[in-house]
Amino acid sequence: MTNSGTVLVVCTGNVCRSPYLERRLRQELVGTGITVSGAGTRALTGRDMDPGTRERLLAAGADAEGFAARDLTVELLRGADLVITAAREHRAAATRLFPGALRRTVTLRDLADLLDGVAPADLLQPPPAEGTSWVRHVVDRALLRRGTVPARQDGVDVHDPIGEGPEGFALMARQVDDALGPVVAALRAGVAASRTL
């Protein structure tokens, strides 16, 4: 393995859900070498994150500075080892834009379900192929569990708090934070394991 990998986070305007997830992931993956960025399917290009998102990030102790919304592009999708979307509509939009990302694009809550209960040792059986990033290896291992892990019939999409008050942003943040556990654990375990190979 030559790199830790890249994660691209996607929502609609790239000012509420994806900035929160992007900055929380960066916070949780410090020291792993994993690069995390975000974009929107209908981004409010150049805009700062919503003040409600900023408030929730600061409450979590995460960095909320230096943000500007940007559009989702083929180049961003092509360069990502893993594309995490806030909702299934974003997954559909991303894979329409770049079908080559289909096998590495998944909603946050579906990814959390697929990785829940995966032991670090499971990520090494088999070990990653030569030249494969750990992020890509982890998503490949997660997607192999489709069909063995019951798919959510509802509750997949992270709540969109745009235009809402603090309660809406608190719900969004809670849903993201609840899903982060197994995702972060798998990504950190993969990187930690790579350092022992």
Side-chain angles (χ1 to χ4, degrees):
M1 188 199 76
T2 58
N3 63 82
S4 299
T6 58
V7 178
L8 178 66
V9 180
V10 178
C11 73
T12 305
N14 192 214
V15 293
C16 294
R17 289 173 286 184
S18 54
Y20 185 80
L21 176 54
E22 174 193 333
R23 295 305 177 90
R24 287 286 288 116
L25 267 177
R26 285 188 187 181
Q27 180 185 23
E28 295 293 332
L29 296 174
V30 165
T32 63
I34 295 171
T35 301
V36 185
S37 63
T41 57
R42 296 194 302 275
L44 301 174
T45 308
R47 290 262 299 271
D48 196 358
M49 67 180 69
D50 191 286
T53 293
R54 177 179 296 276
E55 181 180 349
R56 298 317 308 167
L57 283 171
L58 294 175
D63 178 22
E65 298 307 313
F67 181 85
R70 63 179 181 168
D71 288 311
L72 183 64
T73 65
V74 169
E75 291 72 24
L76 289 173
L77 290 166
R78 183 180 287 119
D81 293 302
L82 167 60
V83 181
I84 302 177
T85 67
R88 283 184 173 162
E89 68 178 282
H90 306 127
R91 181 178 187 274
T95 56
R96 276 196 308 271
L97 181 61
F98 181 55
L102 180 64
R103 284 283 304 158
R104 47 196 160 88
T105 303
V106 62
T107 67
L108 173 64
R109 296 175 96 181
D110 281 334
L111 182 60
D113 290 345
L114 291 169
L115 290 171
D116 191 33
V118 175
D122 294 340
L123 297 173
L124 295 173
Q125 301 301 324
E130 183 68 29
T132 299
S133 76
W134 272 103
V135 171
R136 185 64 178 269
H137 180 69
V138 167
V139 72
D140 287 346
R141 298 298 299 160
L143 295 181
L144 285 175
R145 290 167 54 84
R146 278 187 171 156
T148 64
V149 175
R152 290 178 185 246
Q153 298 306 307
D154 51 32
V156 173
D157 297 350
V158 173
H159 177 71
D160 185 359
I162 190 76
E164 297 184 3
E167 297 81 5
F169 284 89
L171 174 59
M172 180 258 321
R174 186 166 60 251
Q175 289 177 342
V176 169
D177 290 343
D178 287 349
L180 278 181
V183 175
V184 169
L187 292 173
R188 291 195 71 89
V191 172
S194 74
R195 291 172 179 157
T196 68
L197 293 180

